[in-house]
Amino acid sequence: MRDDLKIAEIREKYDGQWVVVEVTKIDKYDNPLRGRVLSHNVDEAEVTRHGRKYREEHPKADLYYFFAGQAIPTGIGVMFVQG
């Protein structure tokens, strides 16, 4: 069994959590396609701490941090105003 997953699978599996992934495959535009989950948690600071520690131990690793959920919850309206 592979220990890396498609980014879409990770988003689904860890919905509503912050995630840091070691990228294992990118597309031609350098967008992450697959990766190994290093940490996931609802607490962004906890995931960031884990990612920083991993970065110290693996300085050449390609890491991807993201929130695996809806950026704007259902039922919430957003308006952008240019000042």
Side-chain angles (χ1 to χ4, degrees):
M1 183 172 132
R2 294 177 68 134
D3 65 346
D4 69 332
L5 299 169
K6 292 180 183 177
I7 297 300
E9 293 172 323
I10 295 169
R11 286 185 183 281
E12 185 177 317
K13 185 173 183 176
Y14 299 108
D15 186 31
Q17 297 184 48
W18 289 93
V19 183
V20 62
V21 170
E22 181 178 16
V23 177
T24 58
K25 185 175 181 181
I26 57 173
D27 67 13
K28 66 181 180 179
Y29 302 106
D30 291 332
N31 296 310
L33 295 176
R34 297 186 72 90
R36 268 186 341 104
V37 175
L38 301 176
S39 180
H40 61 91
N41 199 306
V42 294
D43 182 2
E44 180 183 8
E46 183 64 30
V47 172
T48 301
R49 275 192 293 277
H50 189 96
R52 285 182 181 156
K53 183 177 183 218
Y54 191 84
R55 167 74 67 213
E56 289 173 8
E57 297 167 359
H58 305 89
K60 294 186 180 188
D62 184 10
L63 302 184
Y64 176 42
Y65 294 81
F66 62 95
F67 181 71
Q70 292 184 336
I72 302 169
T74 302
I76 300 294
V78 177
M79 180 171 65
F80 296 97
V81 178
Q82 184 175 1

